[in-house]
PDB file of all heavy atoms in Angstrom:
ATOM      1  N   PRO A 100     124.264  80.461  80.697  1.00 76.00           N
ATOM      2  CA  PRO A 100     123.700  79.169  81.101  1.00 76.00           C
ATOM      3  C   PRO A 100     124.699  78.279  81.840  1.00 76.00           C
ATOM      4  O   PRO A 100     124.307  77.426  82.630  1.00 76.00           O
ATOM      5  CB  PRO A 100     123.259  78.526  79.787  1.00 76.00           C
ATOM      6  CG  PRO A 100     123.997  79.253  78.717  1.00 76.00           C
ATOM      7  CD  PRO A 100     124.295  80.615  79.255  1.00 76.00           C
ATOM      8  N   LEU A 101     125.990  78.486  81.621  1.00 76.00           N
ATOM      9  CA  LEU A 101     126.999  77.691  82.318  1.00 76.00           C
ATOM     10  C   LEU A 101     127.153  78.128  83.768  1.00 76.00           C
ATOM     11  O   LEU A 101     127.555  77.352  84.629  1.00 76.00           O
ATOM     12  CB  LEU A 101     128.350  77.782  81.603  1.00 76.00           C
ATOM     13  CG  LEU A 101     128.358  77.275  80.156  1.00 76.00           C
ATOM     14  CD1 LEU A 101     129.711  77.498  79.528  1.00 76.00           C
ATOM     15  CD2 LEU A 101     127.948  75.806  80.104  1.00 76.00           C
ATOM     16  N   MET A 102     126.836  79.388  84.030  1.00 71.00           N
ATOM     17  CA  MET A 102     126.952  79.916  85.388  1.00 71.00           C
ATOM     18  C   MET A 102     125.668  79.683  86.183  1.00 71.00           C
ATOM     19  O   MET A 102     125.670  79.727  87.389  1.00 71.00           O
ATOM     20  CB  MET A 102     127.253  81.424  85.356  1.00 71.00           C
ATOM     21  CG  MET A 102     128.522  81.801  84.636  1.00 71.00           C
ATOM     22  SD  MET A 102     129.990  81.139  85.396  1.00 71.00           S
ATOM     23  CE  MET A 102     130.036  82.099  86.887  1.00 71.00           C
ATOM     24  N   GLY A 103     124.547  79.469  85.475  1.00 60.00           N
ATOM     25  CA  GLY A 103     123.265  79.356  86.158  1.00 60.00           C
ATOM     26  C   GLY A 103     122.851  80.718  86.659  1.00 60.00           C
ATOM     27  O   GLY A 103     123.513  81.713  86.433  1.00 60.00           O
ATOM     28  N   PHE A 104     121.716  80.757  87.337  1.00 54.00           N
ATOM     29  CA  PHE A 104     121.326  82.024  87.927  1.00 54.00           C
ATOM     30  C   PHE A 104     120.844  81.787  89.337  1.00 54.00           C
ATOM     31  O   PHE A 104     120.262  80.786  89.667  1.00 54.00           O
ATOM     32  CB  PHE A 104     120.301  82.797  87.087  1.00 54.00           C
ATOM     33  CG  PHE A 104     119.052  82.048  86.731  1.00 54.00           C
ATOM     34  CD1 PHE A 104     117.917  82.149  87.509  1.00 54.00           C
ATOM     35  CD2 PHE A 104     118.997  81.259  85.594  1.00 54.00           C
ATOM     36  CE1 PHE A 104     116.765  81.468  87.173  1.00 54.00           C
ATOM     37  CE2 PHE A 104     117.850  80.590  85.247  1.00 54.00           C
ATOM     38  CZ  PHE A 104     116.731  80.692  86.045  1.00 54.00           C
ATOM     39  N   ASP A 105     121.189  82.718  90.185  1.00 52.00           N
ATOM     40  CA  ASP A 105     120.918  82.619  91.601  1.00 52.00           C
ATOM     41  C   ASP A 105     120.153  83.865  92.002  1.00 52.00           C
ATOM     42  O   ASP A 105     120.501  84.962  91.595  1.00 52.00           O
ATOM     43  CB  ASP A 105     122.250  82.520  92.350  1.00 52.00           C
ATOM     44  CG  ASP A 105     122.084  82.188  93.809  1.00 52.00           C
ATOM     45  OD1 ASP A 105     120.939  81.957  94.245  1.00 52.00           O
ATOM     46  OD2 ASP A 105     123.104  82.161  94.509  1.00 52.00           O
ATOM     47  N   GLU A 106     119.144  83.677  92.803  1.00 48.00           N
ATOM     48  CA  GLU A 106     118.284  84.791  93.177  1.00 48.00           C
ATOM     49  C   GLU A 106     118.804  85.593  94.372  1.00 48.00           C
ATOM     50  O   GLU A 106     118.077  86.375  94.936  1.00 48.00           O
ATOM     51  CB  GLU A 106     116.877  84.255  93.495  1.00 48.00           C
ATOM     52  CG  GLU A 106     116.164  83.731  92.271  1.00 48.00           C
ATOM     53  CD  GLU A 106     115.917  84.802  91.233  1.00 48.00           C
ATOM     54  OE1 GLU A 106     115.506  85.917  91.588  1.00 48.00           O
ATOM     55  OE2 GLU A 106     116.136  84.525  90.052  1.00 48.00           O
ATOM     56  N   LYS A 107     120.048  85.404  94.776  1.00 44.00           N
ATOM     57  CA  LYS A 107     120.564  86.136  95.926  1.00 44.00           C
ATOM     58  C   LYS A 107     120.706  87.617  95.605  1.00 44.00           C
ATOM     59  O   LYS A 107     121.063  87.990  94.504  1.00 44.00           O
ATOM     60  CB  LYS A 107     121.926  85.600  96.353  1.00 44.00           C
ATOM     61  CG  LYS A 107     121.851  84.260  97.015  1.00 44.00           C
ATOM     62  CD  LYS A 107     123.213  83.867  97.534  1.00 44.00           C
ATOM     63  CE  LYS A 107     123.121  82.544  98.262  1.00 44.00           C
ATOM     64  NZ  LYS A 107     124.407  82.155  98.816  1.00 44.00           N
ATOM     65  N   THR A 108     120.442  88.419  96.609  1.00 43.00           N
ATOM     66  CA  THR A 108     120.706  89.847  96.479  1.00 43.00           C
ATOM     67  C   THR A 108     122.068  90.116  97.094  1.00 43.00           C
ATOM     68  O   THR A 108     122.624  89.272  97.795  1.00 43.00           O
ATOM     69  CB  THR A 108     119.633  90.689  97.204  1.00 43.00           C
ATOM     70  OG1 THR A 108     119.737  90.430  98.602  1.00 43.00           O
ATOM     71  CG2 THR A 108     118.242  90.365  96.712  1.00 43.00           C
ATOM     72  N   THR A 109     122.580  91.311  96.903  1.00 40.00           N
ATOM     73  CA  THR A 109     123.898  91.620  97.461  1.00 40.00           C
ATOM     74  C   THR A 109     123.875  91.585  98.987  1.00 40.00           C
ATOM     75  O   THR A 109     124.886  91.333  99.614  1.00 40.00           O
ATOM     76  CB  THR A 109     124.390  92.999  96.986  1.00 40.00           C
ATOM     77  OG1 THR A 109     123.395  93.969  97.280  1.00 40.00           O
ATOM     78  CG2 THR A 109     124.698  92.984  95.520  1.00 40.00           C
ATOM     79  N   ARG A 110     122.721  91.793  99.603  1.00 42.00           N
ATOM     80  CA  ARG A 110     122.630  91.719 101.060  1.00 42.00           C
ATOM     81  C   ARG A 110     122.795  90.290 101.557  1.00 42.00           C
ATOM     82  O   ARG A 110     123.150  90.062 102.692  1.00 42.00           O
ATOM     83  CB  ARG A 110     121.298  92.278 101.550  1.00 42.00           C
ATOM     84  CG  ARG A 110     121.316  93.803 101.619  1.00 42.00           C
ATOM     85  CD  ARG A 110     119.989  94.335 102.045  1.00 42.00           C
ATOM     86  NE  ARG A 110     119.392  94.838 100.809  1.00 42.00           N
ATOM     87  CZ  ARG A 110     118.174  94.605 100.388  1.00 42.00           C
ATOM     88  NH1 ARG A 110     117.356  93.903 101.077  1.00 42.00           N
ATOM     89  NH2 ARG A 110     117.758  95.085  99.256  1.00 42.00           N
ATOM     90  N   GLU A 111     122.512  89.311 100.700  1.00 41.00           N
ATOM     91  CA  GLU A 111     122.580  87.909 101.114  1.00 41.00           C
ATOM     92  C   GLU A 111     123.936  87.265 100.816  1.00 41.00           C
ATOM     93  O   GLU A 111     124.199  86.163 101.249  1.00 41.00           O
ATOM     94  CB  GLU A 111     121.496  87.103 100.401  1.00 41.00           C
ATOM     95  CG  GLU A 111     120.092  87.544 100.754  1.00 41.00           C
ATOM     96  CD  GLU A 111     119.055  86.894  99.884  1.00 41.00           C
ATOM     97  OE1 GLU A 111     119.247  86.832  98.653  1.00 41.00           O
ATOM     98  OE2 GLU A 111     118.049  86.439 100.438  1.00 41.00           O
ATOM     99  N   ILE A 112     124.785  87.944 100.085  1.00 40.00           N
ATOM    100  CA  ILE A 112     126.088  87.392  99.722  1.00 40.00           C
ATOM    101  C   ILE A 112     127.085  87.780 100.793  1.00 40.00           C
ATOM    102  O   ILE A 112     127.251  88.960 101.111  1.00 40.00           O
ATOM    103  CB  ILE A 112     126.542  87.903  98.343  1.00 40.00           C
ATOM    104  CG1 ILE A 112     125.539  87.456  97.280  1.00 40.00           C
ATOM    105  CG2 ILE A 112     127.943  87.426  98.015  1.00 40.00           C
ATOM    106  CD1 ILE A 112     125.766  88.052  95.932  1.00 40.00           C
ATOM    107  N   SER A 113     127.752  86.783 101.369  1.00 41.00           N
ATOM    108  CA  SER A 113     128.701  87.092 102.435  1.00 41.00           C
ATOM    109  C   SER A 113     129.980  87.672 101.831  1.00 41.00           C
ATOM    110  O   SER A 113     130.496  87.161 100.841  1.00 41.00           O
ATOM    111  CB  SER A 113     129.009  85.855 103.261  1.00 41.00           C
ATOM    112  OG  SER A 113     129.607  84.871 102.442  1.00 41.00           O
ATOM    113  N   ILE A 114     130.444  88.716 102.431  1.00 43.00           N
ATOM    114  CA  ILE A 114     131.674  89.377 101.986  1.00 43.00           C
ATOM    115  C   ILE A 114     132.649  89.340 103.166  1.00 43.00           C
ATOM    116  O   ILE A 114     132.299  89.751 104.268  1.00 43.00           O
ATOM    117  CB  ILE A 114     131.401  90.835 101.574  1.00 43.00           C
ATOM    118  CG1 ILE A 114     130.397  90.860 100.427  1.00 43.00           C
ATOM    119  CG2 ILE A 114     132.679  91.559 101.220  1.00 43.00           C
ATOM    120  CD1 ILE A 114     129.913  92.218 100.063  1.00 43.00           C
ATOM    121  N   PRO A 115     133.840  88.795 102.939  1.00 46.00           N
ATOM    122  CA  PRO A 115     134.796  88.734 104.057  1.00 46.00           C
ATOM    123  C   PRO A 115     135.157  90.137 104.517  1.00 46.00           C
ATOM    124  O   PRO A 115     135.217  91.069 103.722  1.00 46.00           O
ATOM    125  CB  PRO A 115     136.008  88.004 103.452  1.00 46.00           C
ATOM    126  CG  PRO A 115     135.849  88.098 101.986  1.00 46.00           C
ATOM    127  CD  PRO A 115     134.388  88.288 101.693  1.00 46.00           C
ATOM    128  N   PRO A 116     135.394  90.278 105.822  1.00 49.00           N
ATOM    129  CA  PRO A 116     135.755  91.622 106.316  1.00 49.00           C
ATOM    130  C   PRO A 116     137.085  92.073 105.730  1.00 49.00           C
ATOM    131  O   PRO A 116     137.969  91.263 105.464  1.00 49.00           O
ATOM    132  CB  PRO A 116     135.852  91.435 107.841  1.00 49.00           C
ATOM    133  CG  PRO A 116     135.977  89.959 108.054  1.00 49.00           C
ATOM    134  CD  PRO A 116     135.379  89.282 106.860  1.00 49.00           C
ATOM    135  N   ALA A 117     137.196  93.346 105.548  1.00 47.00           N
ATOM    136  CA  ALA A 117     138.431  93.921 104.995  1.00 47.00           C
ATOM    137  C   ALA A 117     139.523  93.866 106.053  1.00 47.00           C
ATOM    138  O   ALA A 117     139.252  93.997 107.255  1.00 47.00           O
ATOM    139  CB  ALA A 117     138.189  95.352 104.561  1.00 47.00           C
ATOM    140  N   ALA A 118     140.741  93.685 105.604  1.00 48.00           N
ATOM    141  CA  ALA A 118     141.878  93.687 106.515  1.00 48.00           C
ATOM    142  C   ALA A 118     142.081  95.104 107.035  1.00 48.00           C
ATOM    143  O   ALA A 118     141.840  96.069 106.313  1.00 48.00           O
ATOM    144  CB  ALA A 118     143.116  93.187 105.785  1.00 48.00           C
ATOM    145  N   PRO A 119     142.518  95.220 108.268  1.00 50.00           N
ATOM    146  CA  PRO A 119     142.770  96.577 108.792  1.00 50.00           C
ATOM    147  C   PRO A 119     143.818  97.295 107.955  1.00 50.00           C
ATOM    148  O   PRO A 119     144.749  96.679 107.468  1.00 50.00           O
ATOM    149  CB  PRO A 119     143.278  96.349 110.225  1.00 50.00           C
ATOM    150  CG  PRO A 119     143.137  94.889 110.488  1.00 50.00           C
ATOM    151  CD  PRO A 119     142.825  94.189 109.203  1.00 50.00           C
ATOM    152  N   HIS A 120     143.642  98.566 107.790  1.00 46.00           N
ATOM    153  CA  HIS A 120     144.560  99.381 106.992  1.00 46.00           C
ATOM    154  C   HIS A 120     145.247 100.390 107.908  1.00 46.00           C
ATOM    155  O   HIS A 120     144.592 101.164 108.580  1.00 46.00           O
ATOM    156  CB  HIS A 120     143.795 100.095 105.873  1.00 46.00           C
ATOM    157  CG  HIS A 120     144.681 100.950 105.035  1.00 46.00           C
ATOM    158  ND1 HIS A 120     145.617 100.420 104.174  1.00 46.00           N
ATOM    159  CD2 HIS A 120     144.768 102.298 104.896  1.00 46.00           C
ATOM    160  CE1 HIS A 120     146.235 101.410 103.566  1.00 46.00           C
ATOM    161  NE2 HIS A 120     145.743 102.550 103.995  1.00 46.00           N
ATOM    162  N   PHE A 121     146.576 100.350 107.928  1.00 53.00           N
ATOM    163  CA  PHE A 121     147.343 101.279 108.755  1.00 53.00           C
ATOM    164  C   PHE A 121     148.232 102.130 107.857  1.00 53.00           C
ATOM    165  O   PHE A 121     148.856 101.633 106.951  1.00 53.00           O
ATOM    166  CB  PHE A 121     148.239 100.521 109.756  1.00 53.00           C
ATOM    167  CG  PHE A 121     147.452  99.626 110.672  1.00 53.00           C
ATOM    168  CD1 PHE A 121     147.375  98.270 110.451  1.00 53.00           C
ATOM    169  CD2 PHE A 121     146.767 100.150 111.754  1.00 53.00           C
ATOM    170  CE1 PHE A 121     146.656  97.446 111.286  1.00 53.00           C
ATOM    171  CE2 PHE A 121     146.044  99.338 112.606  1.00 53.00           C
ATOM    172  CZ  PHE A 121     145.986  97.969 112.364  1.00 53.00           C
ATOM    173  N   ASP A 122     148.268 103.405 108.117  1.00 46.00           N
ATOM    174  CA  ASP A 122     149.133 104.306 107.337  1.00 46.00           C
ATOM    175  C   ASP A 122     150.486 104.409 107.941  1.00 46.00           C
ATOM    176  O   ASP A 122     150.788 104.464 109.030  1.00 46.00           O
ATOM    177  CB  ASP A 122     148.514 105.709 107.207  1.00 46.00           C
ATOM    178  CG  ASP A 122     147.341 105.670 106.259  1.00 46.00           C
ATOM    179  OD1 ASP A 122     147.387 104.896 105.280  1.00 46.00           O
ATOM    180  OD2 ASP A 122     146.377 106.420 106.493  1.00 46.00           O
TER     181      ASP A 122
END
Side-chain angles (χ1 to χ4, degrees):
L101 300 176
M102 301 297 290
F104 54 94
D105 189 4
E106 292 297 316
K107 288 186 177 182
T108 66
T109 54
R110 279 178 256 132
E111 297 171 315
I112 299 172
S113 62
I114 300 172
H120 180 70
F121 301 101
D122 288 325

